[in-house]
Amino acid sequence: MKFHPDPVSAQSIQSYGANWVQFGDTRFDHSVVIASNGERFDWNCCRFEDLTPAHFEQLAALQTELVIFGSGARLRFPAASLLQSLIGQQIGIETMDTQAACRTYNVLASEGRHVAVALLLEN
């Protein structure tokens, strides 16, 4: 039996480190949002403590089925009050450290899922 890889239409995160990610030919050393449809934008947040409901409203506007939140070098859960825009639109959210979020995003995007990853890269 000969195996062939499934074609992947979504771009993936090529590599990552403690405070950076490489997506396509661009290296990010600041917080960023990447969606499986190719959309990406800077996420204007430098520290976990600075997160506001507006940050999660940006994610809800993507209208994905799931948001993966990379909370930085360690696992930290945002307060439920910050997530109301996602909850109101019935968009799932999974929280994990940023490196685990990168791996999970790659798997789900390669399966053709409509997901986004919000990576908090603290410097």
Side-chain angles (χ1 to χ4, degrees):
M1 177 184 298
K2 188 171 185 178
F3 291 97
H4 298 280
D6 291 333
V8 177
S9 60
Q11 292 185 348
S12 62
I13 297 170
Q14 276 72 43
S15 57
Y16 51 84
N19 292 313
W20 61 273
V21 295
Q22 177 92 22
F23 181 78
D25 58 356
T26 306
R27 181 176 165 140
F28 295 91
D29 59 1
H30 56 275
S31 299
V32 64
V33 174
I34 301 168
S36 58
N37 65 2
E39 187 174 352
R40 64 181 175 201
F41 56 87
D42 293 344
W43 206 33
N44 190 20
C45 188
C46 298
R47 299 178 326 127
F48 181 83
E49 296 76 21
D50 296 336
L51 287 169
T52 67
H55 289 106
F56 292 93
E57 289 168 10
Q58 288 180 303
L59 304 177
L62 295 170
Q63 298 182 336
T64 60
E65 61 184 277
L66 175 68
V67 170
I68 305 160
F69 171 57
S71 62
R74 61 188 178 91
L75 180 62
R76 295 174 288 183
F77 293 92
S81 61
L82 300 176
L83 306 176
Q84 292 306 307
S85 57
L86 294 169
I87 293 167
Q89 292 189 37
Q90 298 182 337
I91 297 172
I93 183 161
E94 291 291 333
T95 300
M96 51 196 75
D97 67 67
T98 294
Q99 293 187 7
C102 290
R103 295 188 298 271
T104 302
Y105 166 80
N106 281 348
V107 169
L108 295 176
S110 73
E111 292 176 348
R113 304 278 302 272
H114 186 40
V115 299
V117 64
L119 302 171
L120 184 62
L121 300 173
E122 299 175 302
N123 292 319

